[in-house]
Amino acid sequence: MVREPSQKMKDLVTHLREKINYHNHRYHSLDAPEISDREFDGLFRQLKEIESLHPELVTIDSPTQRVGAVPLEAFTQIKHEKPMLSLDNAFEAEDLIEFDDKVRKRLEHKGQLIYSGEPKIDGVAVSLLYEYGELKRAATRGDGFTGEDITQNARTIGTIPLTLLGSGFPEKLEVRGEIYIPISDFHAMNIAAKKVGEKEFANPRNAAAGSLRQLDPAKTAKRQLKMFAYSIGSHEGKQLPVSQIKLLESLGEWGLRINPLRRTLFGIEECISYYEKVLGDRSELDYEIDGVVLKVDSFLLQEKLGFLSRSPRWAIAKKFPAEEGVSYLEEVRFQVGRTGALTPVARLKPVRVGGVTITNASLHNMDEVDRLGIRIGDAVVVERAGDVIPKIKKVLIEKRVRPTTDIQLPSNCPVCGSIIIRNPDTVVVRCGAGLSCSAQRKETIRHFASRLALNIEGLGEKIIGQLVDENLISNVSDIYRLTKKQLTELERIGSKSADNIIESINRSKHTTLPRFIYSLGIPDIGEATAKELANFFGGIEEIGMASEQSLQEVPDVGEIIARNIRQFFSKNENYLIVRELVELGVTWPEMSSNESLPLKEEIFVITGTLVSFSRVVAKEKLEFLGAKVSTTITKRTTCLISGDKAGTKLSKAIDLKIKIFSEEEFLKLLEKYNV
Ligand code: IVH
């Protein structure tokens, strides 16, 4: 029998954790380890052993608990207490001088201003919330107002402390910064992906974003993500340092990683030289940067300057010029999109630009081809700006020595062979075959299954491609007729993956009206318009029968969208597909008006894994009944839905005597309201 841990044992655990946290910080954040990896592993193993003998001593902030949380079904949305703004951009030195003039004028400041200079990291912006020094929550920036809860994944990142070091930090502190993947690790990742036939990432930023968006934290843990902290959001208790550079230093002392290239700069001239210096040193860094960020250093002055709508008046990003390379246009292929639009895509002789190999560039449309005067065989300047899709900047006419060939718009669809339709009013040319063209079928199905539509996890581009090519599905309703047997007959799909796909197909049947409308892929109807339509009409039949005139009464819907909706429903095949989907079991709760919502007083939190449907759908259902759904338990929380493998949230809810629903009880509640 294992005995109660003695006080001595408890002290040893605390001591080991402090020691591990300290050395973790030296290793990951300061790049200055004091002990060997072996010694570190020894400490870690010792702690793990004690914790396995005395599980009651395990705490959520123990360094052993970074990985190990159960995979999520979907990410929860989080509203930022203070919006995460963006920065105004400057491209020329004159823009900086103008910025400085404006700032000084506003402040009525005659002499030089002190600025802070930092590299602009090209990664993914995140927010980390610490309460009493403990990491409580991590979220992505999202649209600046709402992001996604990535706490489980952030916990696996070595440069993110689970507990802040030292003292003097505010009781509540929201740290903001950028998560990225080192360039060398990005290359290693792509080499490994290529070996097993997986899709490679276009650039380190995408690789970082993709790694953070893993539902299984064990997968994120395998990626070499790192973080630089650069500012704070909301905070309570304790006075903060008075300037940006001092704040960065404090963040460093509290265990966060701060960028070593930060500088205090006196006057705008020093800012310009700083930019030049960082630009010169850029190629030696193992992380991507796309410029420098200059901030008025004093927080008092920052406060006086305030904000414009989406960016602060006290900061500016001086962007680096786009990186360029020279390549040759080998071929132009025409891609067919969901609505049949043909896009010319340039196939280039592989060229490395800013550490990334470029083989394709979009030519957008034939007008762009004409504007560039480009021909097959031409030498071209390829430009890559940050995350943007590579672009052909210009043709090097002087290098045109070999014979070149004209780029011809095909007269038939490159996929299905149907005649191409040209509308003289627009530059867009289309394959008019609609769903009889397999490219349009694939894209339509892909859109239907995508995350913001019916969210059928596991049904990605490759599988859809195979299913369509094998004639197993030809429209979206066929998805609901798929069998496990059909799936396992496809290449590279085992029994387990087939089960998972079938399960997510079944789960997707419970959806909402806005998602359903969006999933149909009517041209120009995004999520927001789909919501407006759902709120206005309340049912799909009503939308299908509405006249163009009444459709235009909906906010967001103008002449073009109204016409697109009418055209969609006037096609018999579309009408039939909608009907079939409903017959095959796709359902959504009815939309109702706000006043009489039964759960309008309640604040729910959902924890653990639900079997009947994803957490996102559970949240939508609750919101539909008027409830608010939050991700953290507070005194204001009124109910907790506790699924399988619920963790700390459940114990916290018990402590706070919050009403707890099992999944079964939750289903009964929904049933009561016919949702
Ligand atoms: S400060 C009020 N500092 O750039 C804005 N941002 O367009 C506060 N970024 O989304 C941002 N490095 O993700 C700041 N040293 C740095 C940065 C930085 C990268 C990103 C950030 C933000 C975007 C702004």
PDB file of all heavy atoms in Angstrom, residues 400-422:
ATOM      1  N   ARG A 400      14.196  37.204 -72.968  1.00  0.00           N
ATOM      2  CA  ARG A 400      13.420  36.335 -73.864  1.00  0.00           C
ATOM      3  C   ARG A 400      14.282  35.964 -75.066  1.00  0.00           C
ATOM      4  O   ARG A 400      14.270  36.646 -76.082  1.00  0.00           O
ATOM      5  CB  ARG A 400      12.155  37.077 -74.296  1.00  0.00           C
ATOM      6  CG  ARG A 400      11.099  36.188 -74.888  1.00  0.00           C
ATOM      7  CD  ARG A 400       9.887  36.985 -75.285  1.00  0.00           C
ATOM      8  NE  ARG A 400       8.886  37.090 -74.245  1.00  0.00           N
ATOM      9  CZ  ARG A 400       7.802  37.847 -74.358  1.00  0.00           C
ATOM     10  NH1 ARG A 400       7.611  38.593 -75.428  1.00  0.00           N
ATOM     11  NH2 ARG A 400       6.923  37.885 -73.375  1.00  0.00           N
ATOM     12  N   VAL A 401      15.047  34.893 -74.913  1.00  0.00           N
ATOM     13  CA  VAL A 401      15.930  34.511 -76.010  1.00  0.00           C
ATOM     14  C   VAL A 401      15.399  33.284 -76.729  1.00  0.00           C
ATOM     15  O   VAL A 401      15.449  33.182 -77.946  1.00  0.00           O
ATOM     16  CB  VAL A 401      17.384  34.268 -75.523  1.00  0.00           C
ATOM     17  CG1 VAL A 401      18.123  35.579 -75.349  1.00  0.00           C
ATOM     18  CG2 VAL A 401      17.416  33.449 -74.257  1.00  0.00           C
ATOM     19  N   ARG A 402      14.817  32.382 -75.932  1.00  0.00           N
ATOM     20  CA  ARG A 402      14.264  31.175 -76.550  1.00  0.00           C
ATOM     21  C   ARG A 402      12.882  31.505 -77.108  1.00  0.00           C
ATOM     22  O   ARG A 402      12.258  32.463 -76.653  1.00  0.00           O
ATOM     23  CB  ARG A 402      14.111  30.087 -75.477  1.00  0.00           C
ATOM     24  CG  ARG A 402      15.430  29.604 -74.940  1.00  0.00           C
ATOM     25  CD  ARG A 402      15.214  28.580 -73.865  1.00  0.00           C
ATOM     26  NE  ARG A 402      14.514  29.145 -72.711  1.00  0.00           N
ATOM     27  CZ  ARG A 402      14.059  28.427 -71.708  1.00  0.00           C
ATOM     28  NH1 ARG A 402      14.170  27.131 -71.741  1.00  0.00           N
ATOM     29  NH2 ARG A 402      13.467  29.003 -70.680  1.00  0.00           N
ATOM     30  N   PRO A 403      12.388  30.703 -78.030  1.00  0.00           N
ATOM     31  CA  PRO A 403      11.019  30.966 -78.496  1.00  0.00           C
ATOM     32  C   PRO A 403      10.012  30.737 -77.358  1.00  0.00           C
ATOM     33  O   PRO A 403      10.184  29.807 -76.551  1.00  0.00           O
ATOM     34  CB  PRO A 403      10.810  29.957 -79.626  1.00  0.00           C
ATOM     35  CG  PRO A 403      11.944  29.010 -79.542  1.00  0.00           C
ATOM     36  CD  PRO A 403      13.026  29.595 -78.706  1.00  0.00           C
ATOM     37  N   THR A 404       9.034  31.588 -77.257  1.00  0.00           N
ATOM     38  CA  THR A 404       8.026  31.464 -76.191  1.00  0.00           C
ATOM     39  C   THR A 404       6.673  31.192 -76.838  1.00  0.00           C
ATOM     40  O   THR A 404       6.489  31.445 -78.020  1.00  0.00           O
ATOM     41  CB  THR A 404       7.935  32.750 -75.371  1.00  0.00           C
ATOM     42  OG1 THR A 404       7.703  33.832 -76.274  1.00  0.00           O
ATOM     43  CG2 THR A 404       9.197  32.998 -74.576  1.00  0.00           C
ATOM     44  N   THR A 405       5.745  30.691 -76.035  1.00  0.00           N
ATOM     45  CA  THR A 405       4.408  30.430 -76.587  1.00  0.00           C
ATOM     46  C   THR A 405       3.355  31.228 -75.840  1.00  0.00           C
ATOM     47  O   THR A 405       3.468  31.489 -74.644  1.00  0.00           O
ATOM     48  CB  THR A 405       4.018  28.936 -76.461  1.00  0.00           C
ATOM     49  OG1 THR A 405       4.940  28.297 -75.600  1.00  0.00           O
ATOM     50  CG2 THR A 405       3.918  28.238 -77.769  1.00  0.00           C
ATOM     51  N   ASP A 406       2.319  31.531 -76.587  1.00  0.00           N
ATOM     52  CA  ASP A 406       1.186  32.289 -76.094  1.00  0.00           C
ATOM     53  C   ASP A 406       0.400  31.491 -75.034  1.00  0.00           C
ATOM     54  O   ASP A 406       0.327  30.271 -75.137  1.00  0.00           O
ATOM     55  CB  ASP A 406       0.296  32.494 -77.335  1.00  0.00           C
ATOM     56  CG  ASP A 406      -0.641  33.634 -77.131  1.00  0.00           C
ATOM     57  OD1 ASP A 406      -0.377  34.437 -76.228  1.00  0.00           O
ATOM     58  OD2 ASP A 406      -1.639  33.706 -77.880  1.00  0.00           O
ATOM     59  N   ILE A 407      -0.188  32.189 -74.058  1.00  0.00           N
ATOM     60  CA  ILE A 407      -1.054  31.487 -73.091  1.00  0.00           C
ATOM     61  C   ILE A 407      -2.480  31.560 -73.620  1.00  0.00           C
ATOM     62  O   ILE A 407      -3.026  32.642 -73.794  1.00  0.00           O
ATOM     63  CB  ILE A 407      -0.969  32.140 -71.694  1.00  0.00           C
ATOM     64  CG1 ILE A 407       0.461  32.058 -71.170  1.00  0.00           C
ATOM     65  CG2 ILE A 407      -1.960  31.495 -70.730  1.00  0.00           C
ATOM     66  CD1 ILE A 407       0.706  32.868 -69.914  1.00  0.00           C
ATOM     67  N   GLN A 408      -3.030  30.418 -73.899  1.00  0.00           N
ATOM     68  CA  GLN A 408      -4.369  30.374 -74.501  1.00  0.00           C
ATOM     69  C   GLN A 408      -5.398  29.937 -73.480  1.00  0.00           C
ATOM     70  O   GLN A 408      -5.190  28.932 -72.793  1.00  0.00           O
ATOM     71  CB  GLN A 408      -4.370  29.335 -75.628  1.00  0.00           C
ATOM     72  CG  GLN A 408      -3.470  29.663 -76.771  1.00  0.00           C
ATOM     73  CD  GLN A 408      -4.222  30.379 -77.874  1.00  0.00           C
ATOM     74  OE1 GLN A 408      -5.455  30.444 -77.851  1.00  0.00           O
ATOM     75  NE2 GLN A 408      -3.498  30.919 -78.829  1.00  0.00           N
ATOM     76  N   LEU A 409      -6.469  30.677 -73.444  1.00  0.00           N
ATOM     77  CA  LEU A 409      -7.584  30.252 -72.608  1.00  0.00           C
ATOM     78  C   LEU A 409      -8.197  29.043 -73.313  1.00  0.00           C
ATOM     79  O   LEU A 409      -8.489  29.110 -74.505  1.00  0.00           O
ATOM     80  CB  LEU A 409      -8.600  31.388 -72.525  1.00  0.00           C
ATOM     81  CG  LEU A 409      -9.776  31.159 -71.606  1.00  0.00           C
ATOM     82  CD1 LEU A 409      -9.304  31.188 -70.159  1.00  0.00           C
ATOM     83  CD2 LEU A 409     -10.830  32.217 -71.824  1.00  0.00           C
ATOM     84  N   PRO A 410      -8.377  27.940 -72.614  1.00  0.00           N
ATOM     85  CA  PRO A 410      -8.930  26.781 -73.330  1.00  0.00           C
ATOM     86  C   PRO A 410     -10.379  27.056 -73.746  1.00  0.00           C
ATOM     87  O   PRO A 410     -11.073  27.830 -73.102  1.00  0.00           O
ATOM     88  CB  PRO A 410      -8.859  25.668 -72.276  1.00  0.00           C
ATOM     89  CG  PRO A 410      -8.778  26.357 -70.965  1.00  0.00           C
ATOM     90  CD  PRO A 410      -8.142  27.686 -71.205  1.00  0.00           C
ATOM     91  N   SER A 411     -10.804  26.429 -74.812  1.00  0.00           N
ATOM     92  CA  SER A 411     -12.202  26.639 -75.201  1.00  0.00           C
ATOM     93  C   SER A 411     -13.097  25.610 -74.516  1.00  0.00           C
ATOM     94  O   SER A 411     -14.302  25.736 -74.475  1.00  0.00           O
ATOM     95  CB  SER A 411     -12.356  26.585 -76.714  1.00  0.00           C
ATOM     96  OG  SER A 411     -11.622  25.486 -77.194  1.00  0.00           O
ATOM     97  N   ASN A 412     -12.449  24.587 -73.940  1.00  0.00           N
ATOM     98  CA  ASN A 412     -13.216  23.579 -73.187  1.00  0.00           C
ATOM     99  C   ASN A 412     -12.668  23.470 -71.778  1.00  0.00           C
ATOM    100  O   ASN A 412     -11.490  23.733 -71.557  1.00  0.00           O
ATOM    101  CB  ASN A 412     -13.103  22.223 -73.874  1.00  0.00           C
ATOM    102  CG  ASN A 412     -13.725  22.253 -75.243  1.00  0.00           C
ATOM    103  OD1 ASN A 412     -13.090  22.706 -76.192  1.00  0.00           O
ATOM    104  ND2 ASN A 412     -14.955  21.819 -75.345  1.00  0.00           N
ATOM    105  N   CYS A 413     -13.529  23.036 -70.880  1.00  0.00           N
ATOM    106  CA  CYS A 413     -13.102  22.880 -69.479  1.00  0.00           C
ATOM    107  C   CYS A 413     -11.980  21.833 -69.406  1.00  0.00           C
ATOM    108  O   CYS A 413     -12.150  20.733 -69.943  1.00  0.00           O
ATOM    109  CB  CYS A 413     -14.296  22.447 -68.640  1.00  0.00           C
ATOM    110  SG  CYS A 413     -13.824  21.936 -66.978  1.00  0.00           S
ATOM    111  N   PRO A 414     -10.855  22.154 -68.754  1.00  0.00           N
ATOM    112  CA  PRO A 414      -9.757  21.184 -68.698  1.00  0.00           C
ATOM    113  C   PRO A 414     -10.111  19.929 -67.905  1.00  0.00           C
ATOM    114  O   PRO A 414      -9.429  18.913 -68.012  1.00  0.00           O
ATOM    115  CB  PRO A 414      -8.632  21.961 -68.003  1.00  0.00           C
ATOM    116  CG  PRO A 414      -9.301  23.088 -67.295  1.00  0.00           C
ATOM    117  CD  PRO A 414     -10.545  23.401 -68.067  1.00  0.00           C
ATOM    118  N   VAL A 415     -11.181  19.980 -67.133  1.00  0.00           N
ATOM    119  CA  VAL A 415     -11.542  18.801 -66.341  1.00  0.00           C
ATOM    120  C   VAL A 415     -12.626  17.983 -67.024  1.00  0.00           C
ATOM    121  O   VAL A 415     -12.498  16.778 -67.197  1.00  0.00           O
ATOM    122  CB  VAL A 415     -11.968  19.198 -64.902  1.00  0.00           C
ATOM    123  CG1 VAL A 415     -12.390  17.981 -64.100  1.00  0.00           C
ATOM    124  CG2 VAL A 415     -10.841  19.947 -64.211  1.00  0.00           C
ATOM    125  N   CYS A 416     -13.731  18.646 -67.452  1.00  0.00           N
ATOM    126  CA  CYS A 416     -14.840  17.839 -67.981  1.00  0.00           C
ATOM    127  C   CYS A 416     -15.047  17.987 -69.482  1.00  0.00           C
ATOM    128  O   CYS A 416     -15.856  17.283 -70.079  1.00  0.00           O
ATOM    129  CB  CYS A 416     -16.131  18.162 -67.235  1.00  0.00           C
ATOM    130  SG  CYS A 416     -16.826  19.748 -67.690  1.00  0.00           S
ATOM    131  N   GLY A 417     -14.352  18.947 -70.089  1.00  0.00           N
ATOM    132  CA  GLY A 417     -14.448  19.079 -71.539  1.00  0.00           C
ATOM    133  C   GLY A 417     -15.614  19.923 -72.040  1.00  0.00           C
ATOM    134  O   GLY A 417     -15.735  20.160 -73.242  1.00  0.00           O
ATOM    135  N   SER A 418     -16.463  20.436 -71.126  1.00  0.00           N
ATOM    136  CA  SER A 418     -17.597  21.251 -71.585  1.00  0.00           C
ATOM    137  C   SER A 418     -17.104  22.589 -72.134  1.00  0.00           C
ATOM    138  O   SER A 418     -16.004  23.030 -71.821  1.00  0.00           O
ATOM    139  CB  SER A 418     -18.533  21.570 -70.424  1.00  0.00           C
ATOM    140  OG  SER A 418     -18.948  20.407 -69.827  1.00  0.00           O
ATOM    141  N   ILE A 419     -17.976  23.206 -72.892  1.00  0.00           N
ATOM    142  CA  ILE A 419     -17.638  24.501 -73.491  1.00  0.00           C
ATOM    143  C   ILE A 419     -17.482  25.566 -72.388  1.00  0.00           C
ATOM    144  O   ILE A 419     -18.232  25.585 -71.420  1.00  0.00           O
ATOM    145  CB  ILE A 419     -18.794  24.927 -74.453  1.00  0.00           C
ATOM    146  CG1 ILE A 419     -18.934  23.913 -75.583  1.00  0.00           C
ATOM    147  CG2 ILE A 419     -18.601  26.341 -74.972  1.00  0.00           C
ATOM    148  CD1 ILE A 419     -17.827  23.977 -76.618  1.00  0.00           C
ATOM    149  N   ILE A 420     -16.497  26.427 -72.577  1.00  0.00           N
ATOM    150  CA  ILE A 420     -16.254  27.507 -71.619  1.00  0.00           C
ATOM    151  C   ILE A 420     -17.164  28.703 -71.939  1.00  0.00           C
ATOM    152  O   ILE A 420     -17.340  29.048 -73.107  1.00  0.00           O
ATOM    153  CB  ILE A 420     -14.765  27.942 -71.716  1.00  0.00           C
ATOM    154  CG1 ILE A 420     -13.861  26.826 -71.216  1.00  0.00           C
ATOM    155  CG2 ILE A 420     -14.494  29.242 -70.998  1.00  0.00           C
ATOM    156  CD1 ILE A 420     -14.060  26.465 -69.779  1.00  0.00           C
ATOM    157  N   ILE A 421     -17.714  29.279 -70.882  1.00  0.00           N
ATOM    158  CA  ILE A 421     -18.612  30.423 -71.091  1.00  0.00           C
ATOM    159  C   ILE A 421     -17.882  31.714 -70.741  1.00  0.00           C
ATOM    160  O   ILE A 421     -17.284  31.822 -69.666  1.00  0.00           O
ATOM    161  CB  ILE A 421     -19.864  30.300 -70.182  1.00  0.00           C
ATOM    162  CG1 ILE A 421     -20.571  28.974 -70.471  1.00  0.00           C
ATOM    163  CG2 ILE A 421     -20.794  31.475 -70.360  1.00  0.00           C
ATOM    164  CD1 ILE A 421     -21.583  28.609 -69.421  1.00  0.00           C
ATOM    165  N   ARG A 422     -17.941  32.678 -71.647  1.00  0.00           N
ATOM    166  CA  ARG A 422     -17.336  33.982 -71.354  1.00  0.00           C
ATOM    167  C   ARG A 422     -18.449  34.993 -71.190  1.00  0.00           C
ATOM    168  O   ARG A 422     -19.303  35.116 -72.059  1.00  0.00           O
ATOM    169  CB  ARG A 422     -16.469  34.462 -72.511  1.00  0.00           C
ATOM    170  CG  ARG A 422     -15.265  33.625 -72.732  1.00  0.00           C
ATOM    171  CD  ARG A 422     -14.735  33.914 -74.121  1.00  0.00           C
ATOM    172  NE  ARG A 422     -14.027  32.733 -74.580  1.00  0.00           N
ATOM    173  CZ  ARG A 422     -12.718  32.734 -74.808  1.00  0.00           C
ATOM    174  NH1 ARG A 422     -12.021  33.814 -74.645  1.00  0.00           N
ATOM    175  NH2 ARG A 422     -12.119  31.636 -75.211  1.00  0.00           N
TER     176      ARG A 422
END
